[in-house]
Structure formats: structure tokens, C-alpha cells
Amino acid sequence: MIIMENNMKRNKLFAKYAKHPKHTYEIQETLSYHDDTDREPDIIFPYSGRNRGKSFEIAAQCLADAWYDDKQLAYIRRHVNTIGDIEKYFADKTQFIKDMTDNQAEGITMQKGILYFYKWVENEKTGSMRKDLIKQLGYSFSVSKEGSYRSLQYPEVYNAIYEEVLTSDGYLSGEPDKFLN
């Protein structure tokens, strides 16, 4: 019963965000592609015009998988992510996160390489604000430090986003192999 309620809520949530005029990319179109083997793709590289909502759509689906179904996310970039980098990447999804979590969370942050949903709370004694970590979202990885993760296990990770794969700044030596490792 809870799963049905979550799926109904998830459908309504995405219907709301699909109405945005710049949201013309639907991940389901890509995921529904099947070749003659009838297998679903393991790795996809969405490549199309800018400002179609690709990054938002993909990240929002991964956030929903983590929130509703405990399918964690591996957020991957070429170089090491800072807390600021993580928070800026997810900043345009603040209202989406609030809607999805019924205001239980309002953003994404990182602590020691682990990504979390968080909510700002006020310290009653001092009046200062702090981030209350609500639920683990997943992990942050950098391809440049691939050797640090190679032998570790992440069984709860279901989705991976490798953001800004195409670059004009140059690629790492052996980048495809490092990414796959």
C-alpha cells in the first residue's frame, strides 16, 4: 500500500514539473529504447540541445528513486567535488525536493563524500541555522581519484550520473577505463 501511495505521489510530482516550458526531455524515451536483444541500456549518454531540461529530469528521477525507493545515487565528476559544488548542482531542484519530501527536506549536501537530503533547522538556544541531515542520497565520486574507490563496494547505489562528460578542457588519461572502474 505504501508503495502505491509513493508511486501515485511520484506520478503527480513529475506531472507538475513536466509542465515547465523548458522541460522537453523525458528520460523514459531514452530508457524505453530496445535493440534487437530487447535489453534495457546499462549506460546512456543523453546528447542534445541545451536548455531542454536533461540534467534536471535525470537528477530529479534519481532523487525520487533515492527518496521513494532507497535506490542511492553515485554523483560523478571528472575532478573532486566540494560541498559547494554539490549544493550548487542541486540548487535548482530545491522546490522539487520540498514538493517530493513534503517539506521534510529542502536541499542536497555532502559530508565526507556522502550525499544527503537536508533541511535547515534553527538552534533554539543560539538562533543559528544548521543543516539537519534527513536521509542519505548516495555518494560523490571523482574519476581523477578512481583508484581510491576501486575495491570498495556500494551495493545500495542504483543510479549514477556522470555530469559534464563532454568537455573542452581536456580529458583524463584513460578516462573511460577509470570511469568504468
Side-chain angles (χ1 to χ4, degrees), residues 3 5 14 29 34 54 56 69 80-82 103 118 132 148 162 173:
I3 292 173
E5 289 174 9
F14 280 93
E29 293 173 23
H34 294 285
K54 294 181 305 297
F56 187 95
D69 302 322
V80 176
N81 290 304
T82 66
N103 290 312
Y118 77 86
D132 190 18
S148 301
Y162 186 5
S173 175

Side-chain angles (χ1 to χ4, degrees), residues 66-81:
W67 184 259
Y68 294 126
D69 302 322
D70 295 320
K71 295 177 177 177
Q72 292 189 5
L73 168 67
Y75 178 74
I76 306 162
R77 297 223 35 150
R78 190 165 282 107
H79 301 287
V80 176
N81 290 304

